[in-house]
Amino acid sequence: MSQQEHSFANPGPAGLGALAIACFLFFALLTGRVTHAAAPILACWLVGGAICQISAGLIELKDHNLAGGNLMLFFGSFFMVTGAVGMFAKTIMAANGVEFDASIEGWAWLCAFLVLVCLTPCYLKANKIFFWVVILADVAVGALAVTDLKIINLGAFAGWTLLLVGLGALYLVAAISINGTFGRQVLPVPAPYSK
């Protein structure tokens, strides 16, 4: 988000790339393009994404990017690590006939949604694409919460919204990497809503 100098190269593309992969995988799962039998493989990819996001988050925090670092850590920890461990646990319990109640995840998604809403105003200082990626992530996580709380099934809607998040993240991966490599704006990145 901020334009301060990084002590490392900007880790944003790795963290955003991991987010994009997770969003594409969740899109496939939530819209029925793959069955829930794919969950263990999805979980493996989420572990890889967590490594990217947590690393990126720590670097961003070291460079005093409060919102970006915390958002990367939050997604890496709860969207990726917890998602992966939960998928592994549910798969193993289901395979062994162990009864479990996964609806508790609705309460976790509800709190995750509220955390994201708390962080969203910070992204008014990010470029407009990044701001809308965060807004769409808010919507998707809210949809997952109401789905898992069994209020209304918005799983497919969440999936399509996550696909949009992933596409926005991919554009930012390209723009940050290409513009940074060439030292000029090759791919347009609109200014923030707020300075």
Side-chain angles (χ1 to χ4, degrees), residues 69-160:
N70 278 290
L71 188 68
M72 288 285 183
L73 283 176
F74 184 78
F75 267 112
S77 298
F78 294 104
F79 198 63
M80 305 273 188
V81 174
T82 303
V85 172
M87 285 180 195
F88 283 133
K90 287 184 274 189
T91 300
I92 291 167
M93 287 187 289
N96 289 296
V98 176
E99 188 177 325
F100 61 94
D101 182 3
S103 66
I104 189 72
E105 290 182 319
W107 292 100
W109 285 118
L110 177 60
C111 188
F113 165 74
L114 295 172
V115 169
L116 288 176
V117 168
C118 290
L119 290 172
T120 297
C122 300
Y123 284 85
L124 288 166
K125 293 188 76 167
N127 67 68
K128 289 181 176 96
I129 295 170
F130 210 139
F131 174 76
W132 286 104
V133 163
V134 173
I135 291 288
L136 288 169
D138 292 352
V139 171
V141 172
L144 290 172
V146 299
T147 298
D148 282 356
L149 287 169
K150 305 209 183 316
I151 296 169
I152 184 171
N153 187 346
L154 295 177
F157 173 76
W160 283 100

Side-chain angles (χ1 to χ4, degrees), residues 27-101:
F27 163 77
L29 184 69
L30 293 168
T31 60
R33 280 155 177 76
V34 299
T35 68
H36 283 279
I41 303 303
L42 174 103
C44 292
W45 282 83
L46 291 177
V47 170
I51 293 167
C52 285
Q53 286 210 315
I54 292 169
S55 299
L58 292 172
I59 293 168
E60 290 287 359
L61 288 173
K62 181 184 179 301
D63 289 334
H64 306 284
N65 184 347
L66 180 66
N70 278 290
L71 188 68
M72 288 285 183
L73 283 176
F74 184 78
F75 267 112
S77 298
F78 294 104
F79 198 63
M80 305 273 188
V81 174
T82 303
V85 172
M87 285 180 195
F88 283 133
K90 287 184 274 189
T91 300
I92 291 167
M93 287 187 289
N96 289 296
V98 176
E99 188 177 325
F100 61 94
D101 182 3

